[in-house]
Amino acid sequence: MSCILLGIWRAHWNVVFEDTPFVPDLIITSIRTLLNTLQKELLLSKFALPPPDVSTSTYSIHNNPLT
């Protein structure tokens, strides 16, 4: 649903700010692209390493060798 709304709003903003025509076929193509991108990002996030648990980290800002 969010990709559909984003696609419609982007088309509306283009009409208002870029003076481009509101073409439903182009909007549908844009929404499909947004959905495909979201699907790929979700698939990649399944294989990404989880962020480190900061609460158990031994890193200290006072022991930073770069400072």
Side-chain angles (χ1 to χ4, degrees), residues 5 10 14 16 48 50 53 62 64:
L5 290 172
R10 281 184 177 174
N14 282 333
V16 173
D53 185 6
H62 301 292
N64 186 351

Side-chain angles (χ1 to χ4, degrees), residues 18-67:
E18 304 293 330
D19 199 29
T20 58
F22 193 88
V23 181
D25 290 339
L26 294 177
I27 297 166
I28 291 170
T29 301
S30 172
I31 291 169
R32 284 186 179 144
T33 302
L34 288 167
L35 287 167
N36 286 335
T37 302
L38 178 62
Q39 184 179 22
K40 288 176 186 177
E41 288 175 358
L42 290 173
L43 182 62
L44 282 175
S45 70
K46 286 184 180 180
F47 299 108
L49 294 174
D53 185 6
V54 179
S55 64
T56 60
S57 175
T58 58
Y59 177 79
S60 170
I61 193 167
H62 301 292
N63 295 335
N64 186 351
L66 299 176
T67 58

